């Protein structure tokens, strides 16, 4: 669209008739040269802005939207927005009790919000069947893995179903609730 506007502008001024634009030189273009210079500056600024957004989203902080019953009562059924940080997951600084976003080991296109219950070499005792609370199992979390569980044992698809999860599947650690506004604020150890 910009090219069409520039071409129309040139032909209205009579620049398109006999002299080719390349023979005029960049500084002799006058108004067109200032348009080109301003356009390049704006494009460069826009490119820097998108690079900043990409680096921030990929390596630092991102928005995360959660919904569903698996983390009741900590996270509501309605869609809830959080800031999720990626720094502690990259440097191995997540701890038991943190709520993390992981890539599902069963469906890699799906992300899950769960509580981190056990790190590698931890012994975890869990209720294998929520309908039979007396039936418990104990597991030692393998090296390089974590044990995750939803707070709602009746409606959570977690390590009780698919076992320990590789540490590399952890994507974010939730640290700040953004929406709903009544819960706005830090979300450290809920």
């Amino acid at each position: 669209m910009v090219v069409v506007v520039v071409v129309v502008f040139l032909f209205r001024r009579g620049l398109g008739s006999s002299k080719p634009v390349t023979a005029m030189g960049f500084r002799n273009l006058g108004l067109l040269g200032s348009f080109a210079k301003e356009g390049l500056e704006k494009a460069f600024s826009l490119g820097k802005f998108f690079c900043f957004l990409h680096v921030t989203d990929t390596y630092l902080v991102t928005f995360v939207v959660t919904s569903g019953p698996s983390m009741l009562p900590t996270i509501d059924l309605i869609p809830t927005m959080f800031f999720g940080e990626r720094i502690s997951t990259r440097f191995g600084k997540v701890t038991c009790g943190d709520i993390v976003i992981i890539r599902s080991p069963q469906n890699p296109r799906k992300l899950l919000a769960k509580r981190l219950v056990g790190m590698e070499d931890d012994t975890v005792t869990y209720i294998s069947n929520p309908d039979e609370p007396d039936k418990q199992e104990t597991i030692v979390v393998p090296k390089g893995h974590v044990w995750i569980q939803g707070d709602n044992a009746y409606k959570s698809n977690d390590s009780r179903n698919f076992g320990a999860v590789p540490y590399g599947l952890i994507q974010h650690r939730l640290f700040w609730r953004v929406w709903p506004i009544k819960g706005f604020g830090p979300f450290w150890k809920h």
Side-chain angles (χ1 to χ4, degrees):
M1 180 167 169
V2 174
V3 173
V4 172
V5 171
V6 169
V7 169
V8 169
F9 177 77
L10 287 174
F11 279 102
R12 283 195 178 163
R13 292 283 188 164
L15 297 175
S17 56
S18 60
K19 294 183 190 176
V21 175
T22 55
M24 291 175 28
F26 191 70
R27 51 181 169 202
N28 293 335
L29 289 178
L31 189 57
L32 179 62
S34 66
F35 280 147
K37 184 178 178 183
E38 185 177 341
L40 286 173
E41 288 172 359
K42 298 282 184 194
F44 186 68
S45 295
L46 191 62
K48 287 194 304 187
F49 175 71
F50 282 123
C51 286
F52 171 77
L53 284 180
H54 171 72
V55 168
T56 301
D57 183 58
T58 304
Y59 300 106
L60 302 174
V61 177
T62 189
F63 270 113
V64 177
V65 179
T66 64
S67 63
S70 72
M71 286 300 292
L72 279 172
T74 308
I75 300 176
D76 300 329
L77 280 170
I78 61 172
T80 307
M81 283 192 273
F82 294 94
F83 280 127
E85 60 92 7
R86 296 178 183 242
I87 297 169
S88 60
T89 60
R90 291 193 186 275
F91 292 109
K93 301 295 182 188
V94 292
T95 60
C96 290
D98 287 342
I99 296 178
V100 295
I101 303 296
I102 66 152
R103 190 156 303 280
S104 171
Q106 295 173 321
N107 180 2
R109 293 183 179 193
K110 193 174 181 183
L111 296 175
L112 307 172
K114 304 294 178 196
R115 186 175 303 276
L116 195 61
V117 176
M119 302 296 287
E120 65 182 38
D121 297 327
D122 285 351
T123 302
V124 177
T125 301
Y126 64 98
I127 299 170
S128 59
N129 185 357
D131 296 329
E132 300 175 24
D134 294 338
K135 187 177 178 186
Q136 296 183 347
E137 293 184 30
T138 302
I139 186 172
V140 175
V141 180
K143 192 159 190 70
H145 289 68
V146 294
W147 190 266
I148 54 156
Q149 290 181 354
D151 290 352
N152 183 359
Y154 297 100
K155 294 282 186 182
S156 183
N157 185 23
D158 51 32
S159 288
R160 293 174 284 204
N161 303 100
F162 46 73
V165 177
Y167 187 88
L169 292 181
I170 298 176
Q171 302 294 306
H172 320 285
R173 181 181 65 89
L174 300 183
F175 75 97
W176 196 272
R177 187 188 310 241
V178 178
W179 188 263
I181 203 73
K182 69 176 176 142
F184 182 82
F187 194 73
W188 298 109
K189 296 281 185 188
H190 278 83

